Amino acid sequence: MYEGQLFVVSGPSGAGKGTICRMLIDQVKVSLSVSMTTRTPRAGEINGENYYFITRKKFESIVESEGFLEYAEVYGNYYGTPKQTVLDLLKEGEDVILEIDIQGALKIKEQYPEGIFIYILPPSMGELRKRLTRRGSETEDVINQRIKETLTEVSYIDKYDYCVVNGELNEAVTRIKAIITAEHSRVSHDVYELIDKYREEM
């Protein structure tokens, strides 16, 4: 069985990466890995679907048992990717998509360099501010902090394989679907296994 591919999607808060990932799992055969976090749920978020919302104490116990593929503290809250779930899905031949911040993505790249890393950008800083404001879940100070953080994060964009600007949602999703298709067409060990099979058939 061929091993699945790991697609890591990052981007500033408000860039639309969560919406993009949800649309992708409806349109392509890919599993979305649900992260764990110690932050409180936003309006409309569902435990086990958007995140697993757990206590700080529980999170730290998982860290001690090395149960995360990566974890990071962002804006005072912990976020982490459960390790075994992701590795099991990949081993079963399932593609997995991770929606994580840039700190987590860089840690994943150290452990799993064969992953495909995609960065989502907003069309402008003005549009990013509008999206964050429309959420209604952050204060003006927090929004300003996130805008400032975005300008720092983009300096790491060369660590990613692809960059997609999310100006029009459907177009952004189409571009990422094209990336997934292209990555499955790369010359890889799977191709050489297929060629060996051709030889056996002859």
Side-chain angles (χ1 to χ4, degrees):
M1 180 183 291
Y2 301 145
E3 190 163 303
Q5 291 183 306
L6 178 63
F7 295 91
V8 178
V9 177
S10 302
S13 182
K17 55 189 181 295
T19 304
I20 286 171
C21 287
R22 286 191 294 275
M23 289 180 69
L24 282 170
I25 62 172
D26 287 337
Q27 298 180 29
V28 229
K29 192 170 183 276
V30 62
S31 298
L32 179 64
S33 173
V34 180
S35 297
M36 292 182 174
T37 183
T38 58
R39 78 160 169 78
T40 55
R42 296 190 183 114
E45 288 185 328
I46 300 170
N47 187 46
E49 184 175 316
N50 302 100
Y51 287 96
Y52 291 107
F53 297 98
I54 62 174
T55 64
R56 196 173 186 92
K57 184 177 180 180
K58 174 66 175 174
F59 194 102
E60 289 170 349
S61 73
I62 297 172
V63 170
E64 289 175 10
S65 63
E66 299 183 349
F68 287 118
L69 192 58
E70 60 77 32
Y71 73 94
E73 188 170 9
V74 184
Y75 304 120
N77 291 300
Y78 280 126
Y79 293 81
T81 303
K83 182 191 293 184
Q84 204 54 52
T85 303
V86 172
L87 297 181
D88 286 348
L89 286 168
L90 292 173
K91 193 172 181 179
E92 290 167 8
E94 293 283 335
D95 285 346
V96 177
I97 190 163
L98 294 181
E99 178 207 336
I100 54 177
D101 69 288
I102 194 165
Q103 292 181 54
L106 295 178
K107 289 179 181 178
I108 292 281
K109 194 158 193 173
E110 289 175 5
Q111 294 194 52
Y112 204 90
E114 57 268 45
I116 296 98
F117 295 79
I118 306 168
Y119 198 84
I120 308 297
L121 282 173
S124 68
M125 297 305 285
E127 177 60 25
L128 183 65
R129 181 177 289 278
K130 284 180 187 176
R131 292 176 185 178
L132 290 171
T133 302
R134 279 199 299 264
R135 281 181 178 175
S137 58
E138 282 102 0
T139 64
E140 188 67 22
D141 285 344
V142 171
I143 289 172
N144 288 334
Q145 181 186 0
R146 291 185 186 275
I147 294 289
K148 185 179 178 181
E149 191 69 27
T150 296
L151 294 174
T152 303
E153 286 184 3
V154 293
S155 64
Y156 292 94
I157 205 160
D158 61 340
K159 306 293 184 185
Y160 286 75
D161 302 302
Y162 299 95
C163 172
V164 174
V165 176
N166 182 21
E168 201 286 310
L169 183 59
N170 288 325
E171 181 183 341
V173 171
T174 298
R175 285 179 178 274
I176 297 178
K177 285 164 65 177
I179 290 168
I180 293 172
T181 300
E183 287 296 330
H184 276 288
S185 301
R186 277 184 181 271
V187 174
S188 63
H189 293 299
D190 295 344
V191 173
Y192 295 116
E193 289 175 13
L194 184 59
I195 291 170
D196 287 340
K197 185 179 177 183
Y198 292 163
R199 292 193 179 103
E200 289 172 8
E201 290 176 353
M202 293 300 289

